[in-house]
């Protein structure tokens, strides 16, 4: 049914999506060829090429992922009303549009939407060629360097897409040698919002959300981990006058591991990852060498400030009694106050159906899923299929099918799962809660990994980093057995190592230290690399190379710091009172 409905939409029958088609481009520098739409979805809605939307291996015609989308929702402090945006299959319309929003009232217009209806696609090679030859007679600046959306028009944010300001005058001028600041060996950049028109996919009230998205990958054919990974960085700006509480942001995946109707789903709580995998020894498309597809949350939104440098997880479950976000979050126990970023806090699967555990159709149902609540309002419960039946033993929980990845019972708030009718307990080697152990009938699965709750203040910026990773077996171990190995490498390379799990720290990364935090006037930065400081509007306020200790003085406000090093990045946040 999913594919039949999608074909109808693509034909343009009653589809808002086709009435206002999204720009798109391909990330394809490594073993993955992914079609990225300008709203963050991974779907070739335009059907302009013979390629699968997420093709791995590239040129094989095989795909482990049918679609991916961003979901986000929270309650306005003004009247407690739900504001929510998300994409699905575009069957009822859309909730994201191209371009930024005005700072005054979170509005936009058709001219702005059209102007930003583009996915900028650049490679490291193009940037290096520009740097070497831009001043030479006869050199033609590539279009996506020339038109890089570095600055907004009057009324919009002054600084949008990041760039290297060669002459340090604060203005993007490629004719003077300025160039886009990209990640990876190939990078896509685009901007989208949720406030241009009425939401019609889930019919939620808009948040006034503006997203700056960077999707990138590395050309590393001799590195199987990076060769099968695509990274994402989303900067989320609340341009509205509303502050939202109980905010959750979710990464929704419709996994189709080759043939789409013989799959299972699960999650790794400690590593902050959700995944889809094949339930059968042999897949109709991939055969016996079928991969697992992982959505790894590298770093989620910042926790609400509490004036503390919350301690990191040290392998002792008791250390998490009042600090469960440390189990898979980042920046815990690093000496910096209030820079902690949460990881995956919820995971719940869905079926290809219209039933209680199927696809949501309203904003309220999406918000339920973001909080691990079934669309009918029943909370996810431990055991069985998490919804009903004799094998659902309880208690209420946050993570579905965690396997052996939750030894501290984070998902049940420290409470051990109940015994089942046969008298044995879950969370033991013989009976870890997985679809395989439950003996579920395989099928067409989706899954939602979410992060929250957090306060999304008016005028503030939040940030999420994640990766789509295709995991392969190696002849000695299956893809499922190698998921942890892949995730740990990718997380370490990206600068967000898995707490107490790392076994692959080949090159230790230097830390970023900020103190005091908060500060009344100036603060100290310790580290080595290129430091970039941005305000809550995403505007760069300072950029410098540091090697040791530097003292920085800034006006009152909240700032986000990014220390770029040769083998990765460190991030932080500081408040000047």
């Amino acid at each position: 049914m999913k594919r039949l409905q999608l074909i109808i939409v693509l034909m343009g029958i009653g589809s808002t999506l086709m009435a206002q088609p999204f720009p798109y481009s391909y990330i394809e520098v490594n073993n993955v060829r992914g079609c990225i739409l300008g709203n963050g979805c991974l779907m070739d809605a335009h059907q302009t090429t013979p390629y699968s939307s997420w093709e791995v291996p590239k040129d094989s015609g095989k795909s482990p992922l049918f679609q991916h989308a961003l979901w986000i929702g929270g309650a306005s402090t003004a009247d407690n009303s739900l504001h929510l945006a998300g994409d699905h299959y575009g069957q009822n319309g859309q909730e994201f549009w191209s371009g930024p929003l005005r700072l005054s009232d979170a509005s936009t217009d058709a001219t702005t939407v059209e102007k930003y209806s583009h996915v900028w696609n650049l490679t490291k090679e193009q940037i290096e060629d520009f740097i070497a030859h831009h001043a030479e007679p006869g050199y033609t600046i590539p279009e996506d360097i020339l038109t890089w959306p570095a600055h907004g028009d009057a009324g919009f944010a002054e600084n949008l897409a990041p760039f290297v300001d060669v002459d340090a005058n604060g203005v993007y001028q490629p004719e003077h040698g300025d160039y886009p600041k990209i990640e990876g060996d190939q990078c896509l950049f685009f901007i989208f919002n949720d406030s241009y028109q009425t939401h019609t996919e889930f019919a939620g009230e808009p948040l006034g959300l503006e997203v700056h998205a960077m999707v990138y990958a590395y050309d590393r054919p001799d590195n199987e981990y990076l060769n099968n990974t695509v990274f994402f960085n989303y900067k989320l700006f609340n341009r509205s006058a509303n502050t939202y509480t109980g905010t959750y942001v979710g990464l929704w995946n419709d996994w189709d591991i080759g043939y789409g109707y013989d799959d299972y789903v699960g999650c790794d709580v400690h590593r902050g990852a959700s995944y889809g995998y094949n339930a059968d020894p042999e897949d109709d498309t991939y055969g016996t060498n079928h991969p697992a597809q992982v959505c790894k949350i590298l770093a989620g939104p910042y926790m609400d400030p509490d004036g503390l440098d919350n301690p990191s997880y040290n392998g002792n479950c008791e250390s998490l009694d009042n600090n469960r976000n440390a189990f898979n979050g980042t920046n815990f126990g690093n000496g910096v106050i209030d820079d902690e970023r949460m990881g995956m806090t919820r995971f719940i699967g869905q079926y290809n159906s219209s039933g209680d555990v199927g696809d949501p159709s309203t904003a309220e149902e999406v918000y339920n899923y973001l909080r691990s609540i079934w669309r009918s309002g029943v909370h996810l419960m431990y055991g069985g299929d998490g919804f009903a039946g004799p094998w659902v033993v309880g208690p209420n929980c946050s993570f579905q099918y965690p396997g052996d990845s939750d030894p501290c019972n984070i998902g049940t708030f420290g409470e051990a799962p109940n015994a089942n009718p046969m008298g044995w307990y879950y969370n033991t080697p013989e009976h870890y809660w997985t679809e395989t152990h439950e003996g579920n009938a395989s099928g067409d699965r989706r899954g939602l990994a979410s992060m929250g709750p957090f306060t999304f203040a008016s005028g503030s910026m939040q940030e999420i980093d994640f990766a789509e990773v295709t995991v392969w077996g190696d002849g000695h171990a299956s893809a499922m057995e190698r998921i942890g190995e892949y995730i740990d490498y990718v997380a370490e390379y990206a600068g967000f190592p898995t707490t107490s799990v790392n076994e692959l720290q080949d090159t230790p990364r230097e830390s970023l230290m900020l103190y005091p935090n908060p500060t009344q006037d100036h603060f100290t930065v310790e580290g080595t690399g290129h430091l970039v400081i941005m305000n809550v509007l995403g505007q760069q306020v300072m950029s410098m190379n540091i090697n040791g200790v530097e003292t920085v003085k800034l006006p009152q406000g909240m700032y986000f710091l990014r220390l770029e090093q040769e083998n990765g990045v460190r991030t932080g946040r500081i408040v000047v009172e």
Side-chain angles (χ1 to χ4, degrees):
M1 180 61 71
K2 171 175 63 180
R3 286 158 180 76
L4 176 59
Q5 290 173 327
L6 182 60
I7 290 171
I8 292 174
V9 171
L10 295 175
M11 291 172 64
I13 300 176
S15 171
T16 304
L17 177 64
M18 294 310 292
Q20 296 177 337
F22 266 100
Y24 69 100
S25 193
Y26 285 91
I27 191 86
E28 51 185 343
V29 74
N30 55 22
N31 198 40
V32 180
R33 176 183 283 116
C35 181
I36 309 292
L37 271 67
N39 62 349
C41 280
L42 317 181
M43 182 176 71
D44 188 358
H46 302 266
Q47 297 292 289
T48 57
T49 78
Y51 304 129
S52 302
S53 61
W54 198 257
E55 187 183 40
V56 192
K58 186 168 56 181
D59 297 324
S60 68
K62 301 174 184 178
S63 175
L65 178 61
F66 184 69
Q67 193 178 5
H68 162 96
L70 176 73
W71 294 358
I72 180 172
S76 169
T77 56
D79 57 8
N80 203 39
S81 60
L82 176 64
H83 292 245
L84 184 138
D87 262 307
H88 209 209
Y89 299 107
Q91 293 169 347
N92 299 316
Q94 67 187 93
E95 303 197 347
F96 293 121
W97 295 267
S98 296
L101 298 174
R102 292 185 179 88
L103 301 180
S104 59
D105 59 2
S107 67
T108 186
D109 52 64
T111 300
T112 301
V113 170
E114 176 63 27
K115 176 179 178 179
Y116 288 90
S117 184
H118 185 72
V119 175
W120 283 262
N121 187 335
L122 290 168
T123 66
K124 181 179 179 182
E125 183 179 10
Q126 286 176 301
I127 297 294
E128 291 175 343
D129 185 65
F130 169 84
I131 294 171
H133 302 294
H134 72 274
E136 297 177 1
Y139 176 81
T140 301
I141 300 176
E143 187 68 17
D144 280 1
I145 293 180
L146 192 63
T147 64
W148 186 249
H151 303 297
D153 295 331
F156 297 84
E158 179 182 355
N159 293 305
L160 297 174
F163 66 96
V164 176
D165 190 5
V166 174
D167 55 7
N169 68 351
V171 180
Y172 180 67
Q173 298 172 301
E175 65 275 13
H176 294 172
D178 297 343
Y179 56 90
K181 185 170 182 53
I182 69 170
E183 300 287 348
D185 294 320
Q186 184 195 3
C187 173
L188 309 183
F189 182 85
F190 50 96
I191 300 171
F192 60 98
N193 72 82
D194 85 320
S195 296
Y196 175 49
Q197 293 181 352
T198 300
H199 291 190
T200 52
E201 181 75 341
F202 298 121
E205 290 295 316
L207 294 102
L209 177 72
E210 175 180 316
V211 181
H212 298 182
M214 186 169 284
V215 182
Y216 58 100
Y218 294 91
D219 180 15
R220 302 288 192 275
D222 296 329
N223 184 318
E224 64 173 313
Y225 311 108
L226 297 179
N227 197 39
N228 291 284
T229 297
V230 175
F231 295 90
F232 295 74
N233 173 266
Y234 286 174
K235 290 180 172 60
L236 311 173
F237 297 88
N238 179 0
R239 302 297 195 199
S240 79
N242 296 323
T243 289
Y244 302 106
T245 60
T247 310
Y248 290 82
V249 59
L251 303 173
W252 175 83
N253 288 273
D254 181 353
W255 293 290
D256 285 357
I257 312 298
Y259 176 65
Y261 293 85
D262 62 351
D263 295 336
Y264 282 159
V265 298
C267 70
D268 188 319
V269 179
H270 197 179
R271 292 181 169 92
S274 60
Y275 51 78
Y277 62 104
N278 204 287
D280 301 327
E282 185 170 356
D283 178 71
D284 288 358
T285 300
Y286 277 107
T288 57
N289 186 25
H290 43 78
Q293 184 65 33
V294 177
C295 182
K296 160 61 178 170
I297 295 172
L298 296 163
Y302 285 92
M303 288 173 50
D304 289 353
D306 61 5
L308 302 173
D309 171 26
N310 289 281
S312 61
Y313 171 59
N314 59 10
N316 183 350
C317 294
E318 292 181 0
S319 68
L320 297 168
D321 288 347
N322 299 308
N323 192 27
R324 61 196 300 264
N325 282 319
F327 192 58
N328 59 22
T330 59
N331 293 343
F332 287 82
N334 64 353
V336 180
I337 294 174
D338 285 336
D339 74 331
E340 297 90 353
R341 295 176 67 178
M342 60 184 68
M344 181 179 70
T345 61
R346 307 284 191 281
F347 172 74
I348 190 169
Q350 297 114 56
Y351 289 80
N352 181 0
S353 75
S354 59
D356 289 324
V357 296
D359 293 323
S361 59
T362 68
E364 290 74 16
E365 291 173 356
V366 171
Y367 191 59
N368 275 347
Y369 271 132
L370 286 166
R371 297 175 293 154
S372 288
I373 299 172
W374 298 109
R375 60 185 302 203
S376 61
V378 175
H379 202 286
L380 172 68
M381 291 180 286
Y382 209 98
D385 65 1
F387 177 71
W391 302 102
V392 178
V393 299
N396 289 351
C397 62
S398 302
F399 300 103
Q400 189 178 27
Y401 307 128
D404 64 351
S405 68
D406 191 12
C408 296
N409 294 315
I410 295 297
T412 51
F413 301 92
E415 183 179 349
N418 296 325
N420 81 347
M422 298 297 292
W424 49 261
Y425 288 83
Y426 281 103
N427 215 5
T428 64
E430 297 80 10
H431 300 293
Y432 286 125
W433 188 27
T434 69
E435 292 218 68
T436 301
H437 277 162
E438 294 297 329
N440 292 349
S442 61
D444 186 11
R445 299 284 200 272
R446 304 88 152 88
L448 175 69
S450 57
M451 298 152 274
F454 61 93
T455 301
F456 199 11
S458 172
S460 70
M461 186 268 280
Q462 283 283 3
E463 188 170 13
I464 59 174
D465 290 271
F466 63 99
E468 288 285 353
V469 186
T470 306
V471 179
W472 297 92
D474 64 356
H476 300 285
S478 69
M480 286 299 294
E481 293 170 316
R482 302 190 71 204
I483 282 180
E485 173 190 338
Y486 266 73
I487 292 175
D488 289 346
Y489 186 95
V490 167
E492 171 68 18
Y493 188 86
F496 303 104
T498 308
T499 305
S500 302
V501 174
N502 279 343
E503 297 176 356
L504 298 168
Q505 299 185 40
D506 296 328
T507 308
R509 188 168 287 109
E510 294 188 48
S511 63
L512 167 64
M513 301 293 291
L514 308 172
Y515 56 88
N517 191 8
T519 180
Q520 297 292 331
D521 185 13
H522 60 274
F523 60 94
T524 299
V525 182
E526 285 189 22
T528 301
H530 182 71
L531 180 69
V532 176
I533 303 178
M534 295 184 299
N535 62 20
V536 294
L537 297 178
Q539 299 167 331
Q540 181 175 304
V541 298
M542 190 173 293
S543 175
M544 70 177 83
N545 292 320
I546 65 173
N547 185 15
V549 178
E550 293 286 344
T551 299
V552 179
K553 186 174 182 178
L554 291 171
Q556 185 179 39
M558 180 183 294
Y559 298 91
F560 299 88
L561 293 86
R562 176 183 177 87
L563 183 63
E564 300 161 350
Q565 301 170 327
E566 184 176 348
N567 59 344
V569 300
R570 285 297 195 195
T571 60
R573 179 177 65 166
I574 195 161
V575 175
V576 181
E577 297 178 336

